[in-house]
Amino acid sequence: MRGAGGAQAKDVADALREMIGRLGPLFATRTAVVMSSGVAKLQARRIADVDAEVFTSMVLARDWVLRAAATAPASPPVDDEPSDARAEGLTVHVHGPSDVDVTMTPAAALETARRIGDAAAEVLLAVNAGKPEPRRRAA
């Protein structure tokens, strides 16, 4: 976002806050915002959430994001055991593996089963085609 170098009007600051909020689930551990001036940087820093940092240089922003990626913790282990699912009265109870323990309506359970099946098929097709892992999508 480029500013005139002076103090931003409240409506511009509000627009920046809304823009950052609209980014939604990026599954990023860090978000870098690049501003054109030091004054804009100071104002943006007040607006940004705790997982964002504001820079006046694209190079510094990229280095900061890449440094986080290099030191990011390893992904949690992947379970190879299926969940247990049982009908309990008018609900479906899903338990395991690990900490999974959820009770759903039959409609929610069917939709969850469809989504899991679609995701599993996407991974298997990508693996069989020799492609890298599919991108993470918001549910």
Side-chain angles (χ1 to χ4, degrees):
M1 175 184 259
R2 296 220 178 250
Q8 293 176 330
K10 182 182 180 319
D11 58 335
V12 174
D14 290 343
L16 177 60
R17 183 180 289 113
E18 182 182 331
M19 178 190 72
I20 291 171
R22 275 195 319 237
L23 292 175
L26 299 176
F27 307 108
T29 57
R30 289 181 164 187
T31 302
V33 177
V34 180
M35 304 299 286
S36 61
S37 75
V39 173
K41 176 182 173 180
L42 290 173
Q43 290 178 322
R45 183 172 281 151
R46 291 185 318 199
I47 295 167
D49 64 23
V50 295
D51 294 331
E53 184 65 40
V54 183
F55 299 90
T56 55
S57 159
M58 185 64 80
V59 172
L60 292 174
R62 184 185 63 235
D63 289 348
W64 180 76
V65 169
L66 292 177
R67 189 170 49 250
T71 61
S75 297
V78 176
D79 286 306
D80 195 27
E81 296 294 321
S83 296
D84 180 46
R86 297 181 190 274
E88 292 183 355
L90 298 176
T91 63
V92 176
H93 183 220
V94 180
H95 180 73
S98 301
D99 295 332
V100 174
D101 191 10
V102 64
T103 302
M104 296 182 260
T105 64
L110 286 171
E111 179 60 19
T112 300
R114 184 193 65 78
R115 291 178 185 183
I116 291 172
D118 288 351
E122 186 177 343
V123 170
L124 290 173
L125 289 171
V127 168
N128 287 330
K131 296 179 183 174
E133 290 183 29
R135 291 184 307 133
R136 249 176 112 171
R137 293 188 297 196

Coordinates of all heavy atoms in Angstrom, one line a residue, residues 28-115:
A28 N -0.3 -19.4 7.3 CA 1.0 -18.9 7.4 C 1.3 -18.6 8.9 O 0.5 -18.2 9.7 CB 1.1 -17.6 6.6
T29 N 2.6 -18.8 9.2 CA 3.0 -18.5 10.6 C 3.4 -17.0 10.7 O 3.4 -16.5 11.8 CB 4.2 -19.4 11.0 OG1 5.3 -19.1 10.0 CG2 3.9 -20.8 11.0
R30 N 3.6 -16.4 9.6 CA 4.0 -15.0 9.6 C 3.4 -14.3 8.4 O 3.3 -14.8 7.3 CB 5.5 -14.8 9.5 CG 6.2 -15.2 10.8 CD 7.7 -14.9 10.6 NE 8.4 -14.9 11.9 CZ 9.6 -14.6 12.1 NH1 10.4 -14.2 11.1 NH2 10.1 -14.6 13.3
T31 N 3.0 -13.0 8.6 CA 2.6 -12.2 7.5 C 3.4 -10.9 7.4 O 3.5 -10.2 8.5 CB 1.1 -11.8 7.7 OG1 0.3 -13.0 7.8 CG2 0.6 -10.9 6.5
A32 N 4.0 -10.6 6.3 CA 4.8 -9.4 6.2 C 4.0 -8.4 5.3 O 3.4 -8.7 4.3 CB 6.1 -9.7 5.4
V33 N 3.9 -7.1 5.8 CA 3.3 -6.0 5.2 C 4.4 -5.0 4.8 O 5.2 -4.7 5.6 CB 2.2 -5.4 6.1 CG1 1.6 -4.2 5.4 CG2 1.2 -6.4 6.5
V34 N 4.4 -4.6 3.5 CA 5.4 -3.7 3.1 C 4.8 -2.3 2.8 O 3.8 -2.2 2.0 CB 6.2 -4.2 1.8 CG1 7.2 -3.2 1.3 CG2 6.8 -5.6 2.1
M35 N 5.3 -1.3 3.5 CA 4.8 0.1 3.3 C 5.8 0.9 2.7 O 7.0 0.6 2.8 CB 4.4 0.6 4.7 CG 3.4 -0.2 5.5 SD 1.8 -0.4 4.7 CE 1.1 1.2 4.9
S36 N 5.4 2.0 2.1 CA 6.4 2.9 1.3 C 7.1 3.9 2.2 O 8.0 4.5 1.7 CB 5.6 3.5 0.2 OG 4.6 4.4 0.7
S37 N 6.6 4.2 3.4 CA 7.2 5.2 4.2 C 7.3 4.7 5.7 O 6.5 3.9 6.1 CB 6.5 6.5 4.1 OG 5.3 6.4 4.9
G38 N 8.2 5.4 6.4 CA 8.3 5.1 7.8 C 7.1 5.4 8.6 O 6.7 4.7 9.6
V39 N 6.5 6.6 8.3 CA 5.3 7.0 9.0 C 4.2 6.0 8.8 O 3.5 5.5 9.7 CB 4.8 8.4 8.5 CG1 3.5 8.7 9.2 CG2 5.9 9.4 8.9
A40 N 4.0 5.5 7.5 CA 3.0 4.5 7.2 C 3.3 3.2 7.9 O 2.4 2.5 8.4 CB 2.9 4.3 5.7
K41 N 4.6 2.9 8.0 CA 5.0 1.7 8.7 C 4.6 1.7 10.2 O 4.0 0.8 10.8 CB 6.5 1.5 8.6 CG 7.0 0.3 9.4 CD 8.5 0.2 9.3 CE 9.1 -0.9 10.2 NZ 10.5 -1.0 10.2
L42 N 4.8 2.9 10.9 CA 4.4 3.0 12.3 C 2.9 2.9 12.4 O 2.5 2.3 13.4 CB 4.9 4.4 12.8 CG 6.4 4.5 13.0 CD1 6.8 5.9 13.3 CD2 7.0 3.5 14.0
Q43 N 2.2 3.5 11.5 CA 0.7 3.4 11.7 C 0.2 2.0 11.4 O -0.7 1.5 12.1 CB 0.0 4.4 10.7 CG 0.3 5.8 11.2 CD -0.4 6.8 10.2 OE1 -0.3 6.6 9.0 NE2 -0.9 7.9 10.8
A44 N 0.8 1.3 10.4 CA 0.4 0.0 10.1 C 0.7 -1.0 11.2 O 0.0 -1.9 11.5 CB 1.0 -0.5 8.8
R45 N 1.9 -0.7 11.9 CA 2.3 -1.6 13.0 C 1.2 -1.6 14.1 O 1.0 -2.6 14.8 CB 3.6 -1.2 13.6 CG 4.1 -2.1 14.7 CD 5.5 -1.8 15.1 NE 6.4 -2.4 14.1 CZ 7.6 -1.9 13.8 NH1 8.1 -0.8 14.4 NH2 8.4 -2.5 12.9
R46 N 0.6 -0.4 14.3 CA -0.5 -0.4 15.4 C -1.7 -1.2 15.0 O -2.4 -1.7 15.8 CB -0.9 1.1 15.6 CG 0.1 1.9 16.2 CD -0.4 3.3 16.5 NE -1.2 3.7 15.3 CZ -1.6 5.0 15.1 NH1 -1.2 5.9 15.8 NH2 -2.3 5.3 14.0
I47 N -1.9 -1.3 13.7 CA -3.1 -2.0 13.1 C -2.9 -3.5 13.1 O -3.8 -4.3 13.3 CB -3.4 -1.5 11.7 CG1 -3.8 0.0 11.9 CG2 -4.6 -2.3 11.1 CD1 -3.9 0.7 10.5
A48 N -1.7 -3.9 12.7 CA -1.4 -5.3 12.4 C -1.6 -6.2 13.6 O -1.4 -5.8 14.7 CB 0.0 -5.5 11.8
D49 N -1.9 -7.5 13.4 CA -2.1 -8.4 14.5 C -0.7 -8.9 14.9 O 0.3 -8.5 14.3 CB -3.0 -9.6 14.1 CG -2.5 -10.4 13.0 OD1 -1.2 -10.4 12.8 OD2 -3.3 -11.1 12.3
V50 N -0.7 -9.7 15.9 CA 0.6 -10.2 16.5 C 1.4 -11.0 15.6 O 2.6 -11.2 15.8 CB 0.4 -10.9 17.9 CG1 -0.2 -10.0 18.9 CG2 -0.5 -12.1 17.7
D51 N 0.8 -11.6 14.5 CA 1.5 -12.5 13.6 C 2.0 -11.8 12.4 O 2.4 -12.4 11.4 CB 0.6 -13.7 13.2 CG 0.3 -14.6 14.4 OD1 1.2 -14.7 15.3 OD2 -0.7 -15.2 14.4
A52 N 1.9 -10.4 12.4 CA 2.3 -9.6 11.2 C 3.5 -8.7 11.7 O 3.5 -8.2 12.8 CB 1.1 -8.9 10.7
E53 N 4.3 -8.4 10.7 CA 5.4 -7.4 10.9 C 5.3 -6.5 9.7 O 5.0 -6.9 8.6 CB 6.7 -8.2 11.0 CG 7.9 -7.3 11.3 CD 7.8 -6.6 12.7 OE1 7.4 -7.3 13.6 OE2 8.1 -5.4 12.8
V54 N 5.7 -5.3 9.9 CA 5.6 -4.2 8.9 C 7.0 -3.8 8.5 O 7.8 -3.6 9.3 CB 4.8 -3.0 9.3 CG1 4.6 -2.0 8.2 CG2 3.4 -3.5 9.8
F55 N 7.3 -3.7 7.2 CA 8.6 -3.4 6.7 C 8.4 -2.3 5.6 O 7.4 -2.1 5.0 CB 9.3 -4.6 6.0 CG 9.5 -5.7 6.9 CD1 8.5 -6.7 7.1 CD2 10.6 -5.8 7.6 CE1 8.7 -7.8 7.9 CE2 10.8 -6.9 8.5 CZ 9.9 -7.9 8.7
T56 N 9.5 -1.5 5.4 CA 9.5 -0.5 4.3 C 10.4 -1.1 3.1 O 10.5 -0.4 2.1 CB 10.1 0.8 4.8 OG1 11.4 0.6 5.3 CG2 9.2 1.5 5.8
S57 N 10.9 -2.3 3.2 CA 11.7 -2.9 2.2 C 11.1 -4.3 1.9 O 11.0 -5.1 2.8 CB 13.1 -3.0 2.7 OG 13.8 -4.0 1.9
M58 N 10.9 -4.6 0.6 CA 10.5 -6.0 0.2 C 11.6 -7.0 0.5 O 11.2 -8.1 0.9 CB 10.2 -6.0 -1.3 CG 9.6 -7.3 -1.8 SD 8.0 -7.6 -1.0 CE 6.9 -6.6 -2.0
V59 N 12.8 -6.6 0.4 CA 13.9 -7.6 0.7 C 13.9 -7.9 2.2 O 14.0 -9.1 2.5 CB 15.3 -6.9 0.3 CG1 16.4 -7.8 0.8 CG2 15.3 -6.7 -1.2
L60 N 13.8 -7.0 3.1 CA 13.7 -7.3 4.5 C 12.5 -8.1 4.8 O 12.6 -9.0 5.6 CB 13.7 -6.0 5.3 CG 15.0 -5.1 5.3 CD1 14.8 -3.8 6.0 CD2 16.2 -5.9 5.8
A61 N 11.4 -7.8 4.2 CA 10.2 -8.6 4.5 C 10.3 -10.0 4.0 O 10.0 -11.0 4.8 CB 9.0 -8.0 3.8
R62 N 10.9 -10.2 2.8 CA 11.1 -11.6 2.3 C 12.1 -12.4 3.2 O 11.8 -13.5 3.6 CB 11.6 -11.5 0.9 CG 11.8 -12.9 0.3 CD 12.4 -12.9 -1.1 NE 13.7 -12.4 -1.0 CZ 14.2 -11.4 -1.7 NH1 13.5 -10.7 -2.5 NH2 15.5 -10.9 -1.5
D63 N 13.2 -11.7 3.6 CA 14.2 -12.4 4.5 C 13.5 -12.8 5.8 O 13.8 -13.9 6.3 CB 15.4 -11.5 4.7 CG 16.2 -11.3 3.5 OD1 16.1 -12.1 2.5 OD2 17.1 -10.4 3.5
W64 N 12.7 -11.9 6.4 CA 12.0 -12.2 7.6 C 11.1 -13.4 7.5 O 11.1 -14.3 8.3 CB 11.3 -11.0 8.1 CG 10.5 -11.1 9.4 CD1 11.0 -11.2 10.7 CD2 9.1 -11.3 9.6 NE1 10.0 -11.3 11.6 CE2 8.9 -11.4 10.9 CE3 8.0 -11.3 8.7 CZ2 7.6 -11.5 11.5 CZ3 6.8 -11.5 9.2 CH2 6.5 -11.6 10.6
V65 N 10.3 -13.5 6.4 CA 9.4 -14.6 6.2 C 10.2 -15.9 6.0 O 9.9 -16.9 6.5 CB 8.4 -14.3 5.0 CG1 7.7 -15.5 4.6 CG2 7.5 -13.2 5.4
L66 N 11.2 -15.8 5.1 CA 12.0 -17.0 4.8 C 12.7 -17.5 6.0 O 12.9 -18.7 6.2 CB 12.9 -16.8 3.7 CG 12.3 -16.5 2.3 CD1 13.3 -16.2 1.3 CD2 11.4 -17.7 1.9
R67 N 13.2 -16.6 6.9 CA 13.9 -17.1 8.1 C 13.0 -17.9 9.0 O 13.3 -18.8 9.6 CB 14.5 -15.8 8.8 CG 15.4 -16.2 10.0 CD 16.1 -15.0 10.5 NE 15.3 -13.9 10.8 CZ 15.3 -12.7 10.2 NH1 16.1 -12.5 9.1 NH2 14.5 -11.7 10.5
A68 N 11.7 -17.4 9.0 CA 10.7 -18.2 9.8 C 10.5 -19.5 9.2 O 10.3 -20.5 10.0 CB 9.4 -17.4 9.9
A69 N 10.4 -19.6 7.9 CA 10.1 -20.9 7.3 C 11.3 -21.9 7.5 O 11.1 -23.1 7.8 CB 9.9 -20.7 5.8
A70 N 12.5 -21.4 7.6 CA 13.7 -22.2 7.8 C 13.7 -22.8 9.2 O 14.3 -23.8 9.5 CB 15.0 -21.5 7.5
T71 N 13.2 -22.0 10.2 CA 13.2 -22.4 11.6 C 11.9 -22.9 12.1 O 11.7 -23.2 13.3 CB 13.7 -21.2 12.5 OG1 12.7 -20.2 12.3 CG2 15.0 -20.7 12.1
A72 N 10.9 -23.1 11.2 CA 9.6 -23.6 11.6 C 9.7 -25.0 12.1 O 10.5 -25.8 11.6 CB 8.6 -23.6 10.4
P73 N 8.9 -25.3 13.1 CA 8.9 -26.7 13.7 C 8.4 -27.7 12.7 O 7.6 -27.4 11.8 CB 8.0 -26.6 14.9 CG 7.1 -25.4 14.7 CD 7.9 -24.5 13.8
A74 N 8.8 -28.9 12.8 CA 8.4 -30.0 11.9 C 6.9 -30.2 12.1 O 6.3 -30.0 13.1 CB 9.2 -31.3 12.2
S75 N 6.3 -30.7 11.0 CA 4.9 -31.0 11.0 C 4.6 -32.1 12.0 O 5.5 -33.0 12.2 CB 4.4 -31.5 9.7 OG 4.5 -30.4 8.7
P76 N 3.4 -32.1 12.7 CA 3.2 -33.2 13.6 C 3.1 -34.5 12.9 O 2.9 -34.6 11.7 CB 1.8 -32.8 14.2 CG 1.2 -31.8 13.2 CD 2.4 -31.2 12.5
P77 N 3.3 -35.6 13.6 CA 3.3 -36.9 12.9 C 1.9 -37.2 12.3 O 0.9 -36.7 12.8 CB 3.6 -37.9 14.1 CG 3.5 -37.2 15.3 CD 3.6 -35.7 15.0
V78 N 1.9 -38.0 11.3 CA 0.7 -38.3 10.6 C 0.2 -39.7 11.1 O 1.0 -40.6 11.1 CB 0.9 -38.4 9.0 CG1 -0.4 -38.8 8.3 CG2 1.4 -37.0 8.5
D79 N -1.1 -39.8 11.5 CA -1.6 -41.0 11.9 C -1.9 -42.0 10.8 O -2.3 -41.6 9.7 CB -2.9 -40.8 12.7 CG -2.7 -40.1 14.1 OD1 -1.9 -40.7 14.8 OD2 -3.3 -39.1 14.3
D80 N -1.6 -43.3 11.0 CA -1.9 -44.3 10.0 C -3.1 -45.2 10.5 O -3.3 -46.2 9.8 CB -0.6 -45.1 9.8 CG -0.7 -46.0 8.6 OD1 -1.4 -45.6 7.6 OD2 0.0 -47.0 8.6
E81 N -3.7 -44.8 11.6 CA -4.8 -45.6 12.1 C -6.1 -44.8 11.8 O -6.2 -43.6 11.9 CB -4.7 -45.8 13.6 CG -3.5 -46.6 14.0 CD -3.6 -48.0 13.5 OE1 -4.7 -48.6 13.6 OE2 -2.6 -48.6 13.1
P82 N -7.2 -45.5 11.3 CA -8.4 -44.8 11.1 C -9.2 -44.5 12.4 O -8.9 -45.1 13.4 CB -9.2 -45.9 10.3 CG -8.7 -47.2 10.7 CD -7.2 -46.9 11.0
S83 N -10.1 -43.6 12.3 CA -10.9 -43.2 13.4 C -12.0 -44.3 13.6 O -12.4 -45.0 12.7 CB -11.6 -41.9 13.2 OG -10.7 -40.8 13.1
D84 N -12.5 -44.4 14.8 CA -13.6 -45.3 15.1 C -14.9 -44.4 15.1 O -14.9 -43.3 15.7 CB -13.4 -45.9 16.5 CG -14.6 -46.8 16.9 OD1 -15.0 -47.7 16.0 OD2 -15.1 -46.7 18.0
A85 N -15.9 -44.9 14.4 CA -17.2 -44.1 14.4 C -18.3 -45.0 14.8 O -18.4 -46.2 14.3 CB -17.4 -43.6 12.9
R86 N -19.2 -44.5 15.7 CA -20.3 -45.3 16.1 C -21.6 -44.4 16.2 O -21.5 -43.3 16.6 CB -20.0 -45.9 17.5 CG -18.9 -46.8 17.6 CD -18.7 -47.3 19.0 NE -17.4 -48.0 19.1 CZ -17.3 -49.3 18.8 NH1 -18.3 -50.0 18.4 NH2 -16.1 -49.9 19.0
A87 N -22.7 -45.0 16.0 CA -24.0 -44.4 16.2 C -24.3 -44.4 17.7 O -24.2 -45.4 18.3 CB -25.1 -45.1 15.4
E88 N -24.6 -43.2 18.2 CA -25.0 -43.1 19.6 C -26.3 -42.3 19.7 O -26.3 -41.1 19.6 CB -23.9 -42.4 20.4 CG -22.6 -43.2 20.5 CD -21.6 -42.6 21.4 OE1 -21.8 -41.4 21.8 OE2 -20.5 -43.2 21.6
G89 N -27.4 -43.0 19.8 CA -28.7 -42.4 19.8 C -28.9 -41.7 18.5 O -28.9 -42.4 17.4
L90 N -29.1 -40.4 18.5 CA -29.4 -39.7 17.2 C -28.1 -38.9 16.7 O -28.2 -38.0 15.9 CB -30.5 -38.6 17.5 CG -31.9 -39.3 17.8 CD1 -32.9 -38.2 18.1 CD2 -32.4 -40.2 16.7
T91 N -27.0 -39.3 17.2 CA -25.7 -38.7 16.8 C -24.7 -39.7 16.4 O -24.9 -40.9 16.6 CB -25.1 -37.9 18.0 OG1 -24.8 -38.7 19.1 CG2 -26.1 -36.8 18.5
V92 N -23.6 -39.2 15.8 CA -22.5 -40.1 15.4 C -21.3 -39.6 16.2 O -20.9 -38.5 16.3 CB -22.2 -39.9 13.9 CG1 -20.9 -40.7 13.5 CG2 -23.4 -40.3 13.1
H93 N -20.6 -40.6 16.9 CA -19.5 -40.3 17.7 C -18.2 -40.8 17.0 O -18.1 -42.0 16.7 CB -19.6 -41.0 19.1 CG -18.5 -40.6 20.0 ND1 -17.9 -41.6 20.9 CD2 -17.8 -39.5 20.2 CE1 -17.0 -41.0 21.6 NE2 -16.8 -39.8 21.2
V94 N -17.3 -39.9 16.8 CA -16.0 -40.3 16.1 C -14.9 -40.2 17.2 O -14.8 -39.1 17.8 CB -15.7 -39.4 14.9 CG1 -14.4 -39.7 14.3 CG2 -16.9 -39.4 13.9
H95 N -14.1 -41.2 17.3 CA -13.0 -41.2 18.3 C -11.7 -41.7 17.7 O -11.7 -42.7 17.0 CB -13.4 -42.2 19.5 CG -12.4 -42.2 20.6 ND1 -12.2 -41.2 21.4 CD2 -11.5 -43.2 20.9 CE1 -11.2 -41.5 22.2 NE2 -10.8 -42.7 21.9
G96 N -10.7 -41.0 18.0 CA -9.3 -41.4 17.6 C -9.1 -41.2 16.1 O -10.0 -40.9 15.4
P97 N -7.9 -41.3 15.7 CA -6.7 -41.6 16.5 C -6.3 -40.3 17.2 O -6.9 -39.2 16.9 CB -5.7 -42.0 15.4 CG -6.1 -41.3 14.2 CD -7.6 -41.2 14.2
S98 N -5.3 -40.4 18.0 CA -4.8 -39.3 18.8 C -5.9 -38.6 19.6 O -6.6 -39.3 20.3 CB -4.1 -38.2 17.9 OG -3.0 -38.8 17.2
D99 N -6.1 -37.3 19.5 CA -7.0 -36.6 20.3 C -8.4 -36.4 19.7 O -9.2 -35.6 20.2 CB -6.4 -35.2 20.7 CG -5.2 -35.3 21.6 OD1 -5.1 -36.3 22.3 OD2 -4.4 -34.4 21.5
V100 N -8.7 -37.0 18.6 CA -10.0 -36.9 17.9 C -11.1 -37.5 18.8 O -11.0 -38.6 19.2 CB -10.0 -37.5 16.5 CG1 -11.4 -37.5 15.9 CG2 -9.0 -36.9 15.6
D101 N -12.0 -36.6 19.1 CA -13.2 -37.1 19.9 C -14.3 -36.1 19.7 O -14.4 -35.0 20.3 CB -12.8 -37.2 21.4 CG -13.9 -37.9 22.2 OD1 -14.8 -38.5 21.6 OD2 -13.8 -37.9 23.5
V102 N -15.2 -36.4 18.7 CA -16.2 -35.5 18.3 C -17.6 -36.2 18.2 O -17.6 -37.4 17.8 CB -15.8 -34.7 17.1 CG1 -15.7 -35.7 15.9 CG2 -16.8 -33.6 16.7
T103 N -18.6 -35.5 18.5 CA -20.0 -36.0 18.3 C -20.7 -35.1 17.3 O -20.7 -33.9 17.5 CB -20.8 -36.1 19.6 OG1 -20.0 -36.9 20.5 CG2 -22.1 -36.7 19.4
M104 N -21.3 -35.7 16.2 CA -21.9 -34.9 15.2 C -23.3 -35.4 14.9 O -23.6 -36.5 15.2 CB -21.1 -35.0 13.9 CG -19.7 -34.5 14.0 SD -18.8 -34.6 12.4 CE -17.9 -36.1 12.7
T105 N -24.0 -34.5 14.2 CA -25.3 -34.9 13.7 C -25.0 -35.9 12.5 O -23.9 -35.8 11.9 CB -26.1 -33.7 13.2 OG1 -25.4 -33.1 12.1 CG2 -26.4 -32.7 14.3
P106 N -26.0 -36.7 12.1 CA -25.8 -37.6 10.9 C -25.4 -36.8 9.7 O -24.6 -37.2 8.9 CB -27.1 -38.3 10.8 CG -27.7 -38.3 12.1 CD -27.3 -37.0 12.7
A107 N -26.1 -35.6 9.5 CA -25.8 -34.8 8.3 C -24.3 -34.3 8.3 O -23.6 -34.3 7.3 CB -26.8 -33.6 8.2
A108 N -23.9 -33.8 9.5 CA -22.5 -33.3 9.6 C -21.5 -34.5 9.4 O -20.5 -34.3 8.7 CB -22.3 -32.7 10.9
A109 N -21.8 -35.7 9.9 CA -21.0 -36.8 9.7 C -20.9 -37.2 8.3 O -19.8 -37.5 7.8 CB -21.5 -38.0 10.6
L110 N -22.0 -37.2 7.5 CA -22.0 -37.6 6.1 C -21.1 -36.5 5.3 O -20.4 -36.9 4.4 CB -23.4 -37.7 5.6 CG -24.1 -38.9 6.0 CD1 -25.6 -38.8 5.5 CD2 -23.5 -40.2 5.4
E111 N -21.3 -35.3 5.6 CA -20.6 -34.2 4.9 C -19.1 -34.3 5.2 O -18.2 -34.2 4.3 CB -21.1 -32.8 5.2 CG -20.3 -31.7 4.5 CD -20.3 -31.7 3.0 OE1 -21.2 -32.4 2.4 OE2 -19.5 -31.1 2.4
T112 N -18.7 -34.6 6.5 CA -17.3 -34.8 6.9 C -16.7 -36.0 6.1 O -15.6 -35.9 5.6 CB -17.2 -35.0 8.4 OG1 -17.8 -33.8 9.0 CG2 -15.8 -35.2 8.8
A113 N -17.5 -37.1 6.1 CA -17.0 -38.3 5.4 C -16.8 -38.0 3.9 O -15.8 -38.4 3.3 CB -18.0 -39.4 5.5
R114 N -17.7 -37.2 3.3 CA -17.5 -36.8 1.9 C -16.2 -36.0 1.7 O -15.4 -36.2 0.8 CB -18.7 -36.0 1.4 CG -18.6 -35.7 -0.1 CD -19.6 -34.6 -0.6 NE -19.4 -33.3 0.0 CZ -18.4 -32.4 -0.4 NH1 -17.6 -32.8 -1.3 NH2 -18.3 -31.3 0.2
R115 N -16.0 -35.0 2.6 CA -14.8 -34.1 2.5 C -13.5 -34.9 2.7 O -12.5 -34.7 2.0 CB -14.9 -33.0 3.5 CG -16.0 -32.0 3.2 CD -16.1 -30.9 4.2 NE -17.2 -30.0 4.0 CZ -17.5 -28.9 4.7 NH1 -16.7 -28.7 5.8 NH2 -18.5 -28.2 4.4

